[in-house]
């Protein structure tokens, strides 16, 4: 794992540079909530909103921030800082 974020519901969001995976765990029950693969294999940061939208640093690969919603099925590019 590389980037991690814990929300106010004790859900742990983890990015992995190995395969570009995002995994979400419920820390209260120690259960896997969801797991999906992205193209963000070089991400360094992750953030999740209260409605479970996930923002992932994808600067190294696409030059943008990726927003993932609907359990990882919809990806939206958010801005291009470069």
């Amino acid at each position: 794992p590389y980037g991690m974020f814990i929300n106010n519901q004790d859900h742990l969001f983890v990015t992995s540079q190995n395969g570009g995976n995002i995994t979400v765990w419920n820390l209260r029950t120690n259960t896997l909530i969801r797991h999906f693969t992205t193209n963000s294999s070089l991400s360094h940061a992750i953030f999740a909103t209260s409605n479970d939208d996930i923002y992932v640093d994808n600067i190294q690969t696409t030059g943008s921030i990726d927003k993932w919603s609907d359990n990882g099925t919809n990806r939206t590019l958010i801005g291009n800082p470069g």
Side-chain angles (χ1 to χ4, degrees):
Y2 206 87
M4 291 186 266
F5 177 79
I6 299 173
N7 69 6
N8 61 357
Q9 298 171 346
D10 287 335
H11 293 170
L12 173 64
F13 297 77
V14 180
T15 62
S16 171
Q17 289 188 341
N18 184 14
N21 298 313
I22 294 176
T23 306
V24 184
W25 293 91
N26 184 325
L27 295 177
R28 294 178 187 165
T29 62
N30 291 325
T31 55
L32 178 67
I33 297 173
R34 72 188 135 176
H35 175 88
F36 57 95
T37 301
T38 72
N39 291 327
S40 306
S41 61
L42 298 174
S43 64
H44 290 89
I46 187 168
F47 175 79
T49 64
S50 59
N51 64 346
D52 287 338
D53 288 337
I54 300 171
Y55 293 83
V56 179
D57 157 31
N58 202 4
I59 302 298
Q60 297 280 356
T61 305
T62 64
S64 65
I65 305 294
D66 293 346
K67 175 185 173 186
W68 291 91
S69 56
D70 299 326
N71 291 321
T73 58
N74 289 324
R75 175 180 162 218
T76 306
L77 297 179
I78 306 295
N80 185 337

